[in-house]
Amino acid sequence: SQTIHQWPATLVQPVGSPLSLECTVEGTSNPNLYWYRQAAGRGLQLLFYSVGIGQISSEVPQNLSASRPQDRQFILSSKKLLLSDSGFYLCAWSVRPLRGTEAFFGQGTRLTVV
Amino acid sequence: AQTVTQSQPEMSVQEAETVTLSCTYDTSENNYYLFWYKQPPSRQMILVIRQEAYKQQNATENRFSVNFQKAAKSFSLKISDSQLGDTAMYFCAFMKIQGAQKLVFGQGTRLTINP
C-alpha cells in the first residue's frame, strides 16, 4: 500500500535561519507531488507542485523553494526564514496520470518562526 | 486559472440535522474532478467524496452527497443525519484532467455539530 511520510511534525526556527522539510512517498512511482501551506484557520494555499524529477512549478512568489531530487522525494526549503513563513505545511501526492484518484496527504509540519 | 470559492466561513447545526456546504468554482475546462475534503482537529486531510465532471449523476457516500451543477459551476456538499464526529473544516477542491494537474482548494468552511 502507498504511504506518505512528512517530517518533522513540529519545528520552531528563528528568523533568518534556513529551512528544510522533507516528504517521501512509498508504494507508488512517478506521483504528482504537492506542497501546501495553511495559515491558522485558513484554507490550503498551493505553493509548489511537481510532475517529475526536477520538474517544479511555483504557484506564488515567496521566500520558499522546492526540489525533487528523486521520484518519490519532495523537499521544501528556505535560505532565510521570515516571520510570515509560519504556518502548517502539508505535503501530498496523487497518481499520474490522473484517473480521478484523490490526493493523499502527509501529517503536516507546524512551523513557527520566532 | 482555476479558483474555488466557499462563501460560508463557519456553520453550526444540531446533531442529526442536515447541513449543506456551498462551493463554486471558476474554470474554462470541460473535464475535471471535484472533491470535498474534511480536516478534523487532528489536521489530517480526509477525502469525503469526489465527482467527475463528465458524470451527470451526483456522487453519494453514505450520509454525504453532492449537488453538482456543471453549468452553474456549483458543487455543494450535503451531510445528512449529522454526527458529532462530522465537526471539522471542510474544503472543496478542483483538479483539471488535462495539462497541469494541480489540486486547488477553497478557503474552507468550519462546521460544528452541536449535541
Side-chain angles (χ1 to χ4, degrees):
Chain A
S1 63
Q2 302 91 352
T3 56
I4 179 169
H5 302 282
Q6 182 181 344
W7 69 91
T10 59
L11 190 61
V12 180
Q13 292 283 99
V15 169
S17 64
L19 173 73
S20 181
L21 302 181
E22 189 164 341
C23 173
T24 59
V25 181
E26 296 179 356
T28 188
S29 59
N30 202 24
N32 289 327
L33 295 171
Y34 310 87
W35 277 112
Y36 291 89
R37 177 169 58 199
Q38 184 178 25
R42 302 287 299 278
L44 277 70
Q45 180 186 36
L46 179 62
L47 301 176
F48 301 95
Y49 71 98
S50 173
V51 298
I53 296 174
Q55 300 179 60
I56 309 295
S57 296
S58 174
E59 287 299 296
V60 291
Q62 57 204 327
N63 185 43
L64 302 170
S65 62
S67 61
R68 186 171 177 172
Q70 301 181 43
D71 180 46
R72 290 171 289 180
Q73 183 184 29
F74 206 23
I75 298 171
L76 184 68
S77 304
S78 174
K79 293 182 179 179
K80 290 185 178 181
L81 283 169
L82 306 172
L83 288 175
S84 58
D85 292 324
S86 293
F88 188 66
Y89 289 82
L90 283 161
C91 179
W93 72 274
S94 66
V95 174
R96 293 187 61 236
L98 183 68
R99 288 293 182 262
T101 183
E102 72 266 33
F104 299 89
F105 286 81
Q107 296 292 321
T109 297
R110 184 181 304 276
L111 171 66
T112 304
V113 183
V114 298
Chain B
Q2 289 76 25
T3 59
V4 179
T5 303
Q6 293 178 249
S7 59
Q8 304 152 313
E10 295 187 18
M11 295 188 71
S12 178
V13 299
Q14 295 299 119
E15 191 176 9
E17 290 184 347
T18 295
V19 59
T20 298
L21 308 182
S22 301
C23 172
T24 58
Y25 57 95
D26 185 25
T27 184
S28 59
E29 301 287 325
N30 190 46
N31 291 323
Y32 47 87
Y33 292 101
L34 296 163
F35 306 87
W36 277 99
Y37 278 85
K38 168 184 176 181
Q39 188 183 43
S42 67
R43 305 199 79 167
Q44 177 65 50
M45 294 290 286
I46 303 167
L47 178 71
V48 174
I49 200 166
R50 72 167 66 88
Q51 175 78 44
E52 300 169 58
Y54 61 88
K55 289 187 176 180
Q56 294 186 349
Q57 185 175 4
N58 289 324
T60 62
E61 287 288 341
N62 301 315
R63 296 183 295 107
F64 300 88
S65 61
V66 298
N67 183 6
F68 174 48
Q69 301 291 326
K70 191 173 183 179
K73 297 181 182 176
S74 171
F75 183 59
S76 61
L77 174 69
K78 185 173 79 171
I79 305 174
S80 303
D81 186 25
S82 58
Q83 302 174 358
L84 297 180
D86 296 332
T87 293
M89 283 286 288
Y90 286 82
F91 294 98
C92 180
F94 171 99
M95 182 185 283
K96 64 179 184 177
I97 295 176
Q98 300 297 327
Q101 295 174 347
K102 54 186 180 181
L103 185 61
V104 179
F105 284 84
Q107 287 299 301
T109 297
R110 183 175 301 281
L111 176 64
T112 301
I113 308 300
N114 298 308

